[in-house]
Amino acid sequence: MPEIAAPAAEAGGSRRRLRRRRESVAQPGRDGGVWYPRWYWPSFVAPGSVWLALLFLLPFYVVFSVAFGTVDFGNFGQPVPYYAPWWWSFETFNETLSKFYEGTAIYRPPLFRTFVYVFSATAICLVIGYTVAYYAARAATKYKGLILIMLVSPLWISYLMRIYAWQGLLEVDGPINFLMQPLGLGDTNWLAGMHVTVILGLVYGYIPFMILPIYASLDRIQESLLEAGRDLGANGRQTFWRVTLPLSRPAILAGIVIVTLPMFGDYYTNDLLGTTKTSMFGNLISEQRTQTGGSTRMASLVLILGVIVLVPMLYYLRETKRAAEQA
Amino acid sequence: MSAAIERTSSAAAPTGYFRNPWRKPRILQGVTIGYLLWSLLPVVIAVIFSFNAGRSRISWQGFSLRWWTQDPTDSLLRDAAMRSAMAQTYKLAFLTVLVAVPLGTLFAIGIDRWHGRPARTANFTMLLSFVVPEIILGVSLYILFTNLLQGLVPLGTPAQVLGLISFQLSYPVIIVRARLLTIGPEYEEAAMDLGATPSRAIRRVLLPLIAPAILASVALVFADVVDDFVTVAALSAEASSETLAQKIYTASRASPTPEVNAAATMMLITTLLVVAGGLLLYRRFSRGQRDIATTDFMQL
Amino acid sequence: MIGRHPMENRWSRRQFLGRAAGGAVALPSLSAILAACSKPGDDTGGSGTGSAATEIPIATLENPVELPVTMDPIAADTPIESGPLVLYNWADYIHKKVVAEFEEEYGVDVEITTYNNMEEGIQKVANGQVTPDVFVPTVGYLRRLVERDLVMPLQHELIPNMLANVWPSYSDPGPYYDLGWNYTVPYTIYTWGIAYRRDRVSDEDAAAQGWDALWNPEYAGEISLYDSYGDTIAVTIMRNGSLDVNTSDPALIDAAKVAILETINENEARLTINGVYAKLPAGDFTVAEAWSGDIVGAQWYLPKGTGTDVLGYWRPEPGQTMIGNDSLVVPAAAERPRLAHEFINFMLDEKHGTDNFVNWNGYQPPFTSIEPGALIDQGVVPENLSDAVVTEAMFVDDLTPVELTPEVEAIWLDAWTEIKAGA
């Protein structure tokens, strides 16, 4: 031990005083490598884990407690959470859930609309996004860097600002209607609850998240693979279908999930570009913030939304784990 | 032979174009340029109209700094509410970066090296916090702070900071982890073979190697917090805890004036500056990377 | 070569995790854990009953209520605190210049936090997220605020302007919801009506249609309703022919809901809070459900070149619409109650209150010095908006929206949720 410590004292001692540490000094041991104490790496992970436990997992438990609690109408509808699971009452939760399927099912249209919007917007994002990513990755020449920067820049621009910018352009006497006049659509009130507006707004907002993973994956495809395809007789289109597209499949899936998940909880796009006629699931939640007894209903809706996005979330997590293991 | 070639190239130019496998991708180019215009033009217009002399955000009435400095109550820099919103935005961004980046970096280093069941669970939870829609997290934290932790954590800046850190924590983890995957444990092991303690090895060897990733996550988290709206709105209390993003949101649902455009432009400038700064520092660190590593080895 | 075994004197992984988990669990306050173990429903009870002993009946015009005073008002000689004064008010509901004058006179800052509807405002005060010094609730929430000890009684000696300037009926005997003005002073008075653009709808047309103007397909895409369940449902009830604006009849409420959905879906009616003063002058809306103050205030939002004669306001015959007022209260948790009293007195001052109304707000304060006829003569209120002026006589005839019981409120809210969900 002294023999090993001496060189360290010589080398580092000139820069600063070498404090003798009682903790483990590196010992050559198994694997020919080093041996860390058992608590070493966990202590790195601990602060983040404690944080997550307190401010990520605990809130979910409180959401359960509030959703399965009751409402105190005398106190302006404040929630009364039941923290112990055996007190849980499913009355308010059932009431909210029943709004999805029972009777007039007032929550069913927003739910249905949300699915339609998300799927349409994701599909459009995919088509446009893939095309743009393909061009940027494979075909652009000396402007590649510039194009990349311009593709990435919307990520740095606030989502809110981008939708706000569109809100101005879509006003009845705005430039969009001006451009639409030759098509005879110059008088459309785009902001009066049109589904197209909201869907295109969602596309506009989330498409950069689709472009990036696909670009990254397409960029990594080696030229040699494509040339091999060509050598074997495929023309451009076949090369695309049978070589490029399958190779970029994981990125497509990743892009779809990255875009779909936040879209399910989106409410501000509709707030800015639509009306109650185009309300989404997120609007149901945000509406409850200001209603009497709203906290409990919000909790129930959050649980339901969580279940809806659970499947794509778990799928994404499984895929990233698999990708990490392969890497 | 030459005649055949001539015939092919002159016959019906469009199909000739399509048959050429090395052609310029005009359609793709067109789509891409169209997309870029569609993507960036509205923002450019919004920025330009922040300098509009009139109240409208679509009909140009002349150039003026009215909404930036001149109007006594409704200009960005003189409206006390807007100034406080700006201050709040940067305060939240700064505090969040201060906590989230170190916490996330530590977590990433630990997760990368620690193999075991609890590590996988912690990693899973961290990734979960990345994919959860923000409204779920925002509302859950709101419910937490108004029920279980009522009184302990007041809504407003404390709650907003805690909420933002929770939401942003996964970004540094993912970025640093990605970088760590390309760095094996060899460097630290070599350092420790030469007699460094593990902490020293990490501090002198590993941290400089992942410094670019840390810088990237600082820039990313900062920009993300400046733009964040859902969490901040869910956890805000009174006016002094409102950020620029919230002001833009409420104004755009009410009667937006170009002052809102100015506020949005301000946000844009901030994020661009931070990102540009981060990028420059990243380049600087990465360029000297190999040198840094070797000199550290010399010292050990 | 083999030195100290790393396993010596080290926590095993299991121990470490166990301790970390234990630490995480122990963090929430112990009292919360203890409280969580008992079923909460036992001590708070169901709906309606408050804490402690007070249970106050709902106030109506026929049964006015004197709110019990359970705590003492602040002493009249409390020193004036230094700022900032936190004012929690509706958005765009006070003239910033008047506030600036208060700031200058008292040398303090005033922080204005706003809400866009009453439910949102009340939620934040009820769970303590916002602790204002002055609050502007609608009268329907007063009873519960007092029951929950969320407002403090006013020290009358510190508000001499109340007796000097305000209509005497507000102090003696006091309004029906607060006999003896223990907790409130009135801020503004207003009626409900229809605001319209006179360049698109003639006055006779507006008067002939009445509330039905909001259902007229001719104005499709240009109709605005208030994003507030109490107001819009009540107005629709009146449009449907009933005068029971505080109804508990599910059929009436349901009919109102159906009608509102009809105009939203077929005529693209929009729910806004500021549509009247922010968008009607710009021409975005042609007809709008309006509080009288909103249309008077709209004059200051007109684009350059448009005169005030494009603005019109229709109110029904006496007794066919609602009338109400907003009040200023001082929450019990106010950190600067003395300053709050000064502010209230300041707003009740003839000059400042009138300045607020005349130069920006549009909402009339119930001052004895303000004579409705004189308002038109002085040009404060354009003649085409003469119906927007509120007189004391109107309070006798017109309908008063009062607080709903929780059960009835639930029916109203359910209908509103359905409307907002866009079914």
Side-chain angles (χ1 to χ4, degrees), chain B residues 267-295:
Chain B
M267 268 168 55
L268 181 64
I269 294 175
T270 316
T271 25
L272 287 181
L273 281 178
V274 168
V275 169
L279 195 66
L280 287 174
L281 284 175
Y282 180 105
R283 285 240 189 96
R284 179 110 86 65
F285 269 86
S286 302
R287 214 180 295 140
Q289 184 116 94
R290 246 176 286 138
D291 298 332
I292 295 178
T294 42
T295 36

Side-chain angles (χ1 to χ4, degrees), chain A residues 101-169:
Chain A
Y101 57 82
E102 236 176 49
T104 48
I106 63 174
Y107 281 168
R108 198 173 24 206
L111 179 68
F112 183 64
R113 267 199 294 269
T114 307
F115 274 102
V116 168
Y117 289 174
V118 171
F119 287 151
S120 328
T122 309
I124 299 177
C125 277
L126 187 57
V127 168
I128 301 181
Y130 198 98
T131 317
V132 174
Y134 188 83
Y135 175 74
R138 305 228 59 84
T141 51
K142 56 175 175 167
Y143 295 117
K144 187 160 178 173
L146 180 65
I147 292 183
L148 183 59
I149 292 181
M150 288 170 79
L151 281 181
V152 170
S153 54
L155 288 176
W156 303 121
I157 304 175
S158 158
Y159 184 95
L160 212 53
M161 181 195 189
R162 291 158 61 214
I163 301 289
Y164 169 77
W166 268 106
Q167 197 194 33
L169 297 178

Side-chain angles (χ1 to χ4, degrees), chain C residues 93 167 170 186-191 291-294 296-297 323-326 353-354 356-358 360-373 375-376 380-381 385-392 394-395:
Chain C
Y93 204 32
W167 292 350
Y170 272 107
Y187 179 47
T188 60
I189 51 180
Y190 47 87
T191 60
W291 294 306
S292 56
D294 264 358
V296 176
I323 190 167
N325 65 292
D326 282 342
T354 313
N356 186 25
F357 158 49
V358 156
W360 198 83
N361 200 354
Y363 279 85
Q364 192 178 330
F367 286 176
T368 49
S369 58
I370 296 183
E371 233 218 302
L375 287 175
I376 301 179
V380 172
V381 176
L385 295 179
S386 55
D387 275 345
V389 176
V390 185
T391 64
E392 211 168 338
M394 292 178 181
F395 275 89

Side-chain angles (χ1 to χ4, degrees), chain A residues 22-215:
Chain A
R22 291 193 177 269
E23 294 147 1
S24 65
V25 175
Q27 303 286 326
R30 328 182 278 192
D31 316 314
V34 289
W35 210 338
Y36 293 96
R38 294 278 276 225
W39 55 264
Y40 194 68
W41 295 126
S43 70
F44 276 62
V45 178
S49 308
V50 170
W51 187 283
L52 282 182
L54 276 184
L55 288 171
F56 182 68
L57 297 177
L58 183 62
F60 287 143
Y61 185 73
V62 179
V63 168
F64 273 96
S65 307
V66 168
F68 300 141
T70 59
V71 181
D72 185 1
F73 281 104
N75 190 11
F76 304 105
Q78 299 291 301
V80 180
Y82 290 166
Y83 294 111
W86 47 91
W87 294 130
W88 281 354
S89 125
F90 299 97
E91 192 187 313
T92 326
F93 183 75
N94 277 335
E95 193 195 315
T96 306
L97 193 60
S98 70
K99 293 206 169 86
F100 283 99
Y101 57 82
E102 236 176 49
T104 48
I106 63 174
Y107 281 168
R108 198 173 24 206
L111 179 68
F112 183 64
R113 267 199 294 269
T114 307
F115 274 102
V116 168
Y117 289 174
V118 171
F119 287 151
S120 328
T122 309
I124 299 177
C125 277
L126 187 57
V127 168
I128 301 181
Y130 198 98
T131 317
V132 174
Y134 188 83
Y135 175 74
R138 305 228 59 84
T141 51
K142 56 175 175 167
Y143 295 117
K144 187 160 178 173
L146 180 65
I147 292 183
L148 183 59
I149 292 181
M150 288 170 79
L151 281 181
V152 170
S153 54
L155 288 176
W156 303 121
I157 304 175
S158 158
Y159 184 95
L160 212 53
M161 181 195 189
R162 291 158 61 214
I163 301 289
Y164 169 77
W166 268 106
Q167 197 194 33
L169 297 178
L170 288 172
E171 285 183 16
V172 186
D173 47 355
I176 295 292
N177 268 345
F178 177 74
L179 290 174
M180 289 287 192
Q181 266 174 2
L183 296 172
L185 293 171
D187 287 324
T188 336
N189 191 350
W190 299 99
L191 297 174
M194 293 185 66
H195 303 293
V196 176
T197 315
V198 180
I199 293 180
L200 286 180
L202 288 171
V203 170
Y204 184 78
Y206 288 101
I207 198 170
F209 297 100
M210 175 73 81
I211 291 180
L212 271 180
I214 298 181
Y215 170 87

Side-chain angles (χ1 to χ4, degrees), chain A residues 22 27 38-39 72 75-76 78 80-83 87 106-107 110 113 191-192 276-277 279 287 290-291, chain C residues 1 4 7 10 36-37 39-40 46 119-120 123 126-127 144 148 265 268 413 416-418 420-422:
Chain A
R22 291 193 177 269
Q27 303 286 326
R38 294 278 276 225
W39 55 264
D72 185 1
N75 190 11
F76 304 105
Q78 299 291 301
V80 180
Y82 290 166
Y83 294 111
W87 294 130
I106 63 174
Y107 281 168
R113 267 199 294 269
L191 297 174
T276 54
K277 290 205 303 189
S279 67
E287 177 60 31
T290 56
Q291 297 298 352
Chain C
M1 182 143 142
R4 211 174 16 175
M7 283 296 282
R10 300 284 173 263
C37 289
K39 186 162 184 180
E119 290 77 44
E120 176 190 336
Q123 289 292 324
N127 58 28
R144 278 172 285 181
R148 295 266 137 197
N265 288 332
E268 325 259 350
L413 276 175
W416 190 249
T417 308
E418 187 171 339
K420 288 301 289 262

Side-chain angles (χ1 to χ4, degrees), chain B residues 248-261:
Chain B
I248 296 177
Y249 176 75
T250 38
S252 61
R253 302 186 68 191
S255 46
T257 59
E259 188 190 4
V260 182
N261 291 49

